[in-house]
Amino acid sequence: VSDATRRRVQEAVTQLGYRPNAAARNLVQRRTNLIGVVVGDLANAFDAELVKSIEQHASGRRYTTLVSNTGGRAELETPRIEALLEQRVDGIALLDFSGDRAVLSELMAERVPVVMVSCWADYADCVAVDDFAGIELAIEHLAGLGHRRIGYALDPLMEASTRRARQQAFERAMLRRSLDLRPEWTIEAAGIGALVEADERPTAMTAANDYTAIRVMDGLETAGLTVPGDVSIVGFDGIALGALGRIALTTVAQPGDALAAGAVELLLDRIERGHDAPPVQQRLSPSLVVRRSTAPPRE
Amino acid sequence: VSDATRRRVQEAVTQLGYRPNAAARNLVQRRTNLIGVVVGDLANAFDAELVKSIEQHASGRRYTTLVSNTGGRAELETPRIEALLEQRVDGIALLDFSGDRAVLSELMAERVPVVMVSCWADYADCVAVDDFAGIELAIEHLAGLGHRRIGYALDPLMEASTRRARQQAFERAMLRRSLDLRPEWTIEAAGIGALVEADERPTAMTAANDYTAIRVMDGLETAGLTVPGDVSIVGFDGIALGALGRIALTTVAQPGDALAAGAVELLLDRIERGHDAPPVQQRLSPSLVVRRSTAPPRE
DNA sequence: TTGAAAGCGCTAACAC
DNA sequence: GTGTTAGCGCTTTCAA
């Protein structure tokens, strides 16, 4: 284009306040430069940080992000994904996905690129932390401190595959060390009261995530126990909050920004370079952050 | 439509996997049923809760939400809003808006409905908490406990109009009670060290928001002071985290869900019923939640 | 009740 | 280097 013409056009653009219409462009190009992000619960700091990071990376590559929060209600998942599909998003990132196979295979059938972040499915691109290694770090830490009676705190709102993976990892890590696996010591944060009143209590708890760990800590202390005096606690995620002096949560930290960066790259490559390659699955290494919520057991 | 035809169509729809194309519909209808949400920082729990709530209300009225996180970087605001405008969002909700008049008046010029949430501009629809009443509650509480040396913790990332409002409210509330207004006691959370080493310290701090309050609490304790022993702290927002036993933050709570509900209603009414009516501005009442971060001063 | 046609604002392909 | 045109998938209008 000649320079003079370019200037004249630019002038007209600003004068008339012209702004390209994305809908029209999308229609003819059959691409929207939109990606959908389905998230379990924005009120959970780890999810929020992940979304923030994904949005950042995506917008760096000129994609706009559509965030859909299901609030942990699985029945919202399908309609939200349908809505994203009507918007013709070029790809979808699923954080904390409930694991409903029907929706997933529908997505596959429509050939919409999907990446699972911090969760897992065999037939899709995934980027997640190594849950087994993470839980192993936690148990190794507790066992090293001398704990033998260790419980596990579930998060019922957590996405199924990750929930299962971490719980299995816990059981395996315990068995490998010939530590007792007491079913009554695997509980939800809400049920912490039962533990407090039990005859035999664990001296340490591993939690499915930081959010749960903090609620367990709060529940135990409300019931009159001390942390780490009576019970040590290890979380999983590495949310910023855990670093506060008053919380000081020992935790298995996920590399959140690396997860987000990897997910965006995987997704956009799939979008821009084609759909046919076999699933790429990345496992990132977690790291243990030791703070003051863990200590040797009392006796 | 005849019943038989309807059935035949439905059948074809499911068989062919037909899904309407939003872009095409948007193009011809000149409406997208999309609303943009520009948020300061998703890592701030109050913002995240607000976004979650707005998305919930909007999707109940069949609107899809486009979330744009600026991460407190004001220079990102304009390009993000431009991107939303290219998507032809039907309206925009601004949370924690930096207050850049240029962008705002451009929005006005384009006649895109805008609602300010938890911030304020004279010429736009607004829904926010009554900052003056809120700060007054905080100071009244502290003064009632016997505090006379009260400082103020700013959040530099906070949107300008609200920041000013709360700070002015603080100054006014102090002056009304003939309490000393010490400029060196108005600080940012990061600068808390200077306060600790000062000859004369305030016995209480009011913070611009909970996020700041918690960082101030953490900073003071890291420096060896106690809360509320040496310094009482009052926050502003009412984030869930503040209710934890270990934090127990006394705070001025905002009715977050009411803010979100009001904002969505204002915005969608403006979208669906026309742009010409004068700005609607709602002030909601905050309430004081007393926890253990405040106590009478020591002497 | 159903079918046909125009056109939303843009891009891509092609002729000038 | 520049202008013209067809058509993306839908809604709306008008005709049958």
Side-chain angles (χ1 to χ4, degrees), chain B residues 68-143:
Chain B
S68 226
N69 183 65
T70 61
R73 293 190 291 169
E75 76 274 16
L76 283 183
E77 230 165 46
T78 308
R80 293 306 176 82
I81 290 178
E82 300 276 347
L84 292 176
L85 257 18
E86 289 203 5
Q87 298 294 338
R88 293 296 191 273
V89 292
D90 291 333
I92 294 185
L94 261 20
L95 322 192
D96 281 1
F97 181 62
S98 83
D100 179 341
R101 321 278 295 203
V103 196
L104 257 186
S105 49
E106 192 186 337
L107 286 172
M108 297 288 133
E110 305 221 6
R111 321 207 80 229
V112 181
V114 169
V115 63
M116 315 276 291
V117 191
S118 190
C119 52
W120 204 261
D122 298 331
Y123 35 87
D125 288 348
C126 300
V127 42
V129 85
D130 186 332
D131 294 306
F132 277 83
I135 294 291
E136 179 61 28
L137 283 173
I139 302 299
E140 178 63 29
H141 170 64
L142 291 173

Side-chain angles (χ1 to χ4, degrees), chain A:
Chain A
V1 204
S2 85
D3 216 50
T5 317
R6 154 162 291 131
R7 255 206 320 283
R8 268 175 50 224
V9 171
Q10 279 300 347
E11 214 166 278
V13 164
T14 47
Q15 193 164 30
L16 300 174
Y18 170 80
R19 188 188 307 286
N21 182 325
R25 188 189 313 125
N26 297 343
L27 191 56
V28 59
Q29 294 198 147
R30 289 122 168 280
R31 311 188 55 245
T32 53
N33 270 42
L34 248 34
I35 62 171
V37 176
V38 180
V39 56
D41 188 4
L42 273 182
N44 175 332
F46 185 68
D47 281 0
E49 285 168 22
L50 227 37
V51 169
K52 178 180 163 182
S53 197
I54 287 177
E55 204 249 7
Q56 223 163 74
H57 288 283
S59 97
R61 291 185 57 174
R62 323 246 61 198
Y63 280 75
T64 299
T65 305
L66 276 167
V67 180
S68 226
N69 183 65
T70 61
R73 291 189 291 170
E75 75 274 14
L76 283 183
E77 230 165 46
T78 307
R80 293 304 175 83
I81 290 178
E82 299 275 347
L84 292 177
L85 257 19
E86 289 203 6
Q87 299 294 336
R88 291 296 189 274
V89 291
D90 291 332
I92 296 186
L94 261 22
L95 322 192
D96 280 2
F97 181 62
S98 83
D100 180 339
R101 322 275 298 201
V103 197
L104 257 187
S105 49
E106 192 186 336
L107 286 172
M108 297 289 133
E110 305 221 6
R111 320 207 82 228
V112 182
V114 169
V115 62
M116 317 274 292
V117 190
S118 190
C119 52
W120 204 261
D122 298 329
Y123 34 87
D125 288 348
C126 300
V127 41
V129 85
D130 186 333
D131 294 306
F132 278 82
I135 294 291
E136 179 62 26
L137 283 173
I139 302 299
E140 178 62 29
H141 170 65
L142 291 173
L145 288 171
H147 291 277
R148 300 191 54 80
R149 309 209 314 260
I150 305 176
Y152 187 80
L154 298 162
D155 180 0
L157 285 187
M158 196 163 159
E159 165 277 318
S161 68
T162 305
R163 187 175 58 214
R164 267 196 310 273
R166 293 191 190 165
Q167 198 177 344
Q168 277 177 20
F170 168 72
E171 293 168 2
R172 210 179 283 184
M174 292 292 282
L175 292 177
R176 180 176 321 154
R177 294 176 174 74
S178 312
L179 298 176
D180 259 11
L181 208 54
R182 301 277 199 93
E184 69 272 24
W185 289 350
T186 289
I187 50 124
E188 296 178 7
I192 197 70
L195 250 198
V196 173
E197 290 156 17
D199 295 338
E200 272 202 314
R201 272 198 307 264
T203 60
M205 294 291 297
T206 307
N209 56 34
D210 284 352
Y211 186 58
T212 302
I214 288 172
R215 282 178 303 161
V216 166
M217 181 187 279
D218 203 55
L220 289 172
E221 293 181 337
T222 302
L225 297 181
T226 62
V227 174
D230 295 306
V231 183
S232 285
I233 297 181
V234 184
F236 201 116
D237 278 351
I239 62 180
L241 169 57
L244 286 177
R246 288 207 177 191
I247 305 287
L249 180 68
T250 295
T251 193
V252 177
Q254 301 197 46
D257 200 63
L259 284 174
V264 170
E265 199 179 314
L266 238 48
L267 189 60
L268 300 197
D269 282 3
R270 186 70 71 176
I271 290 169
E272 290 166 8
R273 291 218 243 292
H275 303 196
D276 19 333
V280 178
Q281 313 206 309
Q282 297 179 353
R283 280 286 185 199
L284 274 49
S285 294
S287 58
L288 186 73
V289 180
V290 178
R291 300 204 187 91
R292 293 193 309 279
S293 70
T294 48
R298 208 167 248 157
E299 57 268 82

